[in-house]
Short mmCIF file of all heavy atoms in Angstrom, two decimals:
data_model
loop_
_atom_site.label_atom_id
_atom_site.label_comp_id
_atom_site.label_asym_id
_atom_site.label_seq_id
_atom_site.Cartn_x
_atom_site.Cartn_y
_atom_site.Cartn_z
N ALA X 30 286.97 140.11 78.65
CA ALA X 30 285.72 140.77 79.03
C ALA X 30 285.84 141.43 80.40
O ALA X 30 285.36 142.55 80.62
CB ALA X 30 284.58 139.75 79.03
N ARG X 31 286.48 140.73 81.33
CA ARG X 31 286.69 141.27 82.68
C ARG X 31 287.48 142.58 82.60
O ARG X 31 287.15 143.57 83.26
CB ARG X 31 287.43 140.24 83.54
CG ARG X 31 287.58 140.67 85.01
CD ARG X 31 288.80 139.99 85.63
NE ARG X 31 288.74 138.56 85.48
CZ ARG X 31 288.19 137.71 86.36
NH1 ARG X 31 287.65 138.20 87.47
NH2 ARG X 31 288.22 136.41 86.15
N GLU X 32 288.54 142.57 81.79
CA GLU X 32 289.39 143.75 81.66
C GLU X 32 288.59 144.92 81.07
O GLU X 32 288.75 146.08 81.50
CB GLU X 32 290.59 143.44 80.78
CG GLU X 32 291.60 144.58 80.67
CD GLU X 32 292.26 144.91 81.99
OE1 GLU X 32 292.35 144.02 82.87
OE2 GLU X 32 292.67 146.08 82.16
N ARG X 33 287.74 144.62 80.11
CA ARG X 33 286.92 145.68 79.51
C ARG X 33 285.99 146.30 80.55
O ARG X 33 285.84 147.53 80.60
CB ARG X 33 286.10 145.11 78.35
CG ARG X 33 285.17 146.13 77.72
CD ARG X 33 284.32 145.55 76.61
NE ARG X 33 285.09 145.19 75.44
CZ ARG X 33 284.54 144.80 74.28
NH1 ARG X 33 283.21 144.71 74.18
NH2 ARG X 33 285.30 144.50 73.25
N ILE X 34 285.38 145.46 81.36
CA ILE X 34 284.44 145.97 82.37
C ILE X 34 285.17 146.79 83.42
O ILE X 34 284.72 147.88 83.81
CB ILE X 34 283.69 144.79 83.04
CG1 ILE X 34 282.78 144.10 82.04
CG2 ILE X 34 282.87 145.30 84.23
CD1 ILE X 34 281.70 144.98 81.46
N LEU X 35 286.30 146.29 83.90
CA LEU X 35 287.05 147.01 84.93
C LEU X 35 287.56 148.36 84.40
O LEU X 35 287.57 149.35 85.14
CB LEU X 35 288.21 146.16 85.44
CG LEU X 35 287.81 144.90 86.22
CD1 LEU X 35 289.05 144.10 86.61
CD2 LEU X 35 287.01 145.26 87.45
N THR X 36 288.00 148.37 83.15
CA THR X 36 288.46 149.62 82.54
C THR X 36 287.31 150.62 82.44
O THR X 36 287.46 151.82 82.74
CB THR X 36 289.04 149.36 81.14
OG1 THR X 36 290.16 148.48 81.25
CG2 THR X 36 289.47 150.67 80.48
N HIS X 37 286.15 150.12 82.06
CA HIS X 37 284.97 150.98 81.96
C HIS X 37 284.59 151.55 83.32
O HIS X 37 284.29 152.75 83.45
CB HIS X 37 283.80 150.19 81.39
CG HIS X 37 282.51 150.94 81.37
ND1 HIS X 37 282.25 151.95 80.48
CD2 HIS X 37 281.41 150.85 82.17
CE1 HIS X 37 281.05 152.44 80.71
NE2 HIS X 37 280.51 151.80 81.72
N ARG X 38 284.63 150.72 84.34
CA ARG X 38 284.26 151.20 85.68
C ARG X 38 285.24 152.23 86.18
O ARG X 38 284.86 153.21 86.83
CB ARG X 38 284.19 150.01 86.65
CG ARG X 38 283.02 149.08 86.36
CD ARG X 38 282.91 147.99 87.39
NE ARG X 38 281.79 147.10 87.10
CZ ARG X 38 281.45 146.07 87.84
NH1 ARG X 38 282.15 145.76 88.92
NH2 ARG X 38 280.40 145.32 87.51
N ALA X 39 286.54 152.03 85.88
CA ALA X 39 287.54 153.01 86.29
C ALA X 39 287.28 154.35 85.60
O ALA X 39 287.41 155.42 86.21
CB ALA X 39 288.93 152.51 85.95
N GLU X 40 286.87 154.30 84.34
CA GLU X 40 286.57 155.52 83.61
C GLU X 40 285.34 156.22 84.17
O GLU X 40 285.29 157.45 84.27
CB GLU X 40 286.36 155.20 82.12
CG GLU X 40 286.11 156.41 81.25
CD GLU X 40 287.27 157.38 81.23
OE1 GLU X 40 288.43 156.95 81.46
OE2 GLU X 40 287.02 158.58 81.00
N VAL X 41 284.35 155.42 84.55
CA VAL X 41 283.14 155.99 85.14
C VAL X 41 283.48 156.71 86.45
O VAL X 41 283.00 157.81 86.72
CB VAL X 41 282.08 154.90 85.39
CG1 VAL X 41 280.95 155.44 86.26
CG2 VAL X 41 281.53 154.39 84.07
N ARG X 42 284.32 156.08 87.26
CA ARG X 42 284.72 156.71 88.53
C ARG X 42 285.50 157.99 88.28
O ARG X 42 285.36 158.98 89.00
CB ARG X 42 285.53 155.73 89.36
CG ARG X 42 284.71 154.60 89.95
CD ARG X 42 285.48 153.87 91.06
NE ARG X 42 284.63 152.89 91.69
CZ ARG X 42 284.51 151.63 91.30
NH1 ARG X 42 285.20 151.21 90.26
NH2 ARG X 42 283.71 150.80 91.93
N LYS X 43 286.35 157.97 87.26
CA LYS X 43 287.12 159.16 86.93
C LYS X 43 286.20 160.29 86.52
O LYS X 43 286.34 161.43 86.96
CB LYS X 43 288.10 158.84 85.80
CG LYS X 43 288.97 160.01 85.38
CD LYS X 43 289.91 159.59 84.26
CE LYS X 43 290.76 160.77 83.79
NZ LYS X 43 291.68 160.37 82.69
N GLN X 44 285.23 159.96 85.67
CA GLN X 44 284.26 160.98 85.25
C GLN X 44 283.44 161.47 86.42
O GLN X 44 283.14 162.66 86.53
CB GLN X 44 283.35 160.40 84.17
CG GLN X 44 284.03 160.11 82.85
CD GLN X 44 283.07 159.56 81.82
OE1 GLN X 44 281.87 159.85 81.86
NE2 GLN X 44 283.58 158.77 80.90
N SER X 45 283.09 160.56 87.32
CA SER X 45 282.30 160.95 88.49
C SER X 45 283.08 161.93 89.36
O SER X 45 282.54 162.91 89.87
CB SER X 45 281.94 159.71 89.31
OG SER X 45 281.23 160.05 90.47
N ALA X 46 284.40 161.66 89.52
CA ALA X 46 285.23 162.55 90.32
C ALA X 46 285.35 163.92 89.67
O ALA X 46 285.30 164.95 90.35
CB ALA X 46 286.62 161.94 90.50
N ILE X 47 285.47 163.93 88.34
CA ILE X 47 285.56 165.21 87.62
C ILE X 47 284.27 166.00 87.78
O ILE X 47 284.28 167.21 88.04
CB ILE X 47 285.86 164.95 86.13
CG1 ILE X 47 287.27 164.38 85.96
CG2 ILE X 47 285.70 166.24 85.32
CD1 ILE X 47 287.59 163.96 84.55
N VAL X 48 283.15 165.30 87.63
CA VAL X 48 281.85 165.97 87.77
C VAL X 48 281.69 166.53 89.18
O VAL X 48 281.21 167.64 89.38
CB VAL X 48 280.71 165.00 87.43
CG1 VAL X 48 279.36 165.62 87.79
CG2 VAL X 48 280.73 164.65 85.96
N SER X 49 282.12 165.75 90.18
CA SER X 49 282.02 166.21 91.57
C SER X 49 282.86 167.46 91.79
O SER X 49 282.43 168.41 92.45
CB SER X 49 282.45 165.10 92.52
OG SER X 49 281.58 164.00 92.45
N ASP X 50 284.09 167.45 91.22
CA ASP X 50 284.96 168.61 91.37
C ASP X 50 284.36 169.84 90.69
O ASP X 50 284.39 170.95 91.22
CB ASP X 50 286.34 168.32 90.77
CG ASP X 50 287.13 167.32 91.61
OD1 ASP X 50 286.76 167.12 92.78
OD2 ASP X 50 288.10 166.75 91.10
N LEU X 51 283.81 169.63 89.49
CA LEU X 51 283.19 170.74 88.77
C LEU X 51 281.98 171.28 89.52
O LEU X 51 281.75 172.49 89.57
CB LEU X 51 282.78 170.28 87.37
CG LEU X 51 283.92 170.04 86.37
CD1 LEU X 51 283.37 169.48 85.07
CD2 LEU X 51 284.70 171.32 86.11
N ARG X 52 281.21 170.36 90.11
CA ARG X 52 280.04 170.80 90.86
C ARG X 52 280.44 171.60 92.09
O ARG X 52 279.83 172.63 92.40
CB ARG X 52 279.20 169.59 91.28
CG ARG X 52 277.93 169.97 92.01
CD ARG X 52 277.06 168.75 92.24
NE ARG X 52 277.77 167.74 93.00
CZ ARG X 52 277.30 166.52 93.23
NH1 ARG X 52 276.14 166.17 92.73
NH2 ARG X 52 277.99 165.65 93.93
N ALA X 53 281.50 171.14 92.77
CA ALA X 53 281.97 171.86 93.95
C ALA X 53 282.48 173.25 93.55
O ALA X 53 282.21 174.24 94.24
CB ALA X 53 283.08 171.07 94.65
N PHE X 54 283.20 173.30 92.42
CA PHE X 54 283.70 174.59 91.95
C PHE X 54 282.54 175.51 91.60
O PHE X 54 282.56 176.71 91.92
CB PHE X 54 284.59 174.38 90.73
CG PHE X 54 285.07 175.65 90.10
CD1 PHE X 54 286.14 176.35 90.63
CD2 PHE X 54 284.44 176.16 88.98
CE1 PHE X 54 286.58 177.53 90.06
CE2 PHE X 54 284.87 177.34 88.39
CZ PHE X 54 285.94 178.02 88.94
N LYS X 55 281.52 174.96 90.94
CA LYS X 55 280.37 175.77 90.56
C LYS X 55 279.64 176.30 91.79
O LYS X 55 279.19 177.44 91.83
CB LYS X 55 279.40 174.96 89.70
CG LYS X 55 278.21 175.77 89.20
CD LYS X 55 277.29 174.92 88.34
CE LYS X 55 276.12 175.76 87.79
NZ LYS X 55 275.32 176.38 88.85
N GLU X 56 279.51 175.46 92.81
CA GLU X 56 278.85 175.89 94.04
C GLU X 56 279.60 177.06 94.67
O GLU X 56 278.99 178.03 95.14
CB GLU X 56 278.75 174.72 95.02
CG GLU X 56 277.74 173.65 94.59
CD GLU X 56 277.74 172.46 95.52
OE1 GLU X 56 278.61 172.41 96.42
OE2 GLU X 56 276.87 171.58 95.36
N GLN X 57 280.93 176.96 94.69
CA GLN X 57 281.73 178.05 95.24
C GLN X 57 281.59 179.31 94.40
O GLN X 57 281.46 180.41 94.92
CB GLN X 57 283.21 177.63 95.32
CG GLN X 57 283.50 176.54 96.33
CD GLN X 57 283.15 176.95 97.75
OE1 GLN X 57 283.38 178.10 98.13
NE2 GLN X 57 282.62 176.04 98.53
N ALA X 58 281.62 179.12 93.07
CA ALA X 58 281.47 180.27 92.18
C ALA X 58 280.10 180.93 92.35
O ALA X 58 279.98 182.15 92.35
CB ALA X 58 281.67 179.83 90.73
N ASP X 59 279.07 180.10 92.51
CA ASP X 59 277.72 180.63 92.71
C ASP X 59 277.63 181.42 94.01
O ASP X 59 276.97 182.47 94.08
CB ASP X 59 276.69 179.50 92.72
CG ASP X 59 276.47 178.91 91.34
OD1 ASP X 59 276.87 179.55 90.36
OD2 ASP X 59 275.91 177.79 91.26
N LYS X 60 278.30 180.91 95.06
CA LYS X 60 278.27 181.61 96.35
C LYS X 60 278.92 182.98 96.23
O LYS X 60 278.42 183.98 96.75
CB LYS X 60 278.99 180.78 97.41
CG LYS X 60 278.22 179.54 97.85
CD LYS X 60 279.01 178.77 98.90
CE LYS X 60 278.25 177.51 99.32
NZ LYS X 60 279.02 176.72 100.30
N VAL X 61 280.06 183.01 95.52
CA VAL X 61 280.75 184.29 95.35
C VAL X 61 279.90 185.24 94.51
O VAL X 61 279.80 186.43 94.81
CB VAL X 61 282.13 184.08 94.68
CG1 VAL X 61 282.77 185.42 94.35
CG2 VAL X 61 283.03 183.29 95.61
N SER X 62 279.27 184.71 93.46
CA SER X 62 278.41 185.54 92.61
C SER X 62 277.25 186.10 93.41
O SER X 62 276.90 187.28 93.29
CB SER X 62 277.87 184.71 91.44
OG SER X 62 278.92 184.30 90.60
N GLU X 63 276.63 185.26 94.24
CA GLU X 63 275.53 185.72 95.07
C GLU X 63 276.01 186.78 96.06
O GLU X 63 275.31 187.77 96.33
CB GLU X 63 274.92 184.54 95.83
CG GLU X 63 274.19 183.56 94.92
CD GLU X 63 273.76 182.31 95.66
OE1 GLU X 63 273.99 182.27 96.90
OE2 GLU X 63 273.21 181.40 95.03
N LEU X 64 277.20 186.55 96.59
CA LEU X 64 277.77 187.50 97.55
C LEU X 64 277.95 188.87 96.93
O LEU X 64 277.54 189.90 97.48
CB LEU X 64 279.11 186.96 98.06
CG LEU X 64 279.86 187.79 99.10
CD1 LEU X 64 279.09 187.83 100.39
CD2 LEU X 64 281.25 187.22 99.32
N LEU X 65 278.55 188.89 95.75
CA LEU X 65 278.79 190.17 95.09
C LEU X 65 277.49 190.80 94.59
O LEU X 65 277.37 192.01 94.55
CB LEU X 65 279.74 189.96 93.91
CG LEU X 65 281.18 189.59 94.29
CD1 LEU X 65 282.00 189.32 93.04
CD2 LEU X 65 281.83 190.67 95.13
#
């Protein structure tokens, strides 16, 4: 059970990092779009 929980938490953190990266990319893309 411990292993299942830790694996799940690691996956959540991985997804969180991906979402953060995508959000940062989108913010940059939006800035460029607004600029143009």
Side-chain angles (χ1 to χ4, degrees):
R31 185 206 306 269
E32 185 64 26
R33 177 182 291 188
I34 294 298
L35 293 177
T36 299
H37 174 74
R38 291 185 180 180
E40 183 62 26
V41 168
R42 288 195 174 90
K43 180 180 178 180
Q44 292 181 27
S45 178
I47 292 174
V48 171
S49 295
D50 289 343
L51 288 175
R52 183 172 58 187
F54 176 80
K55 183 180 183 302
E56 289 175 353
Q57 292 299 321
D59 288 344
K60 288 179 181 178
V61 173
S62 296
E63 291 172 3
L64 181 66
L65 292 176

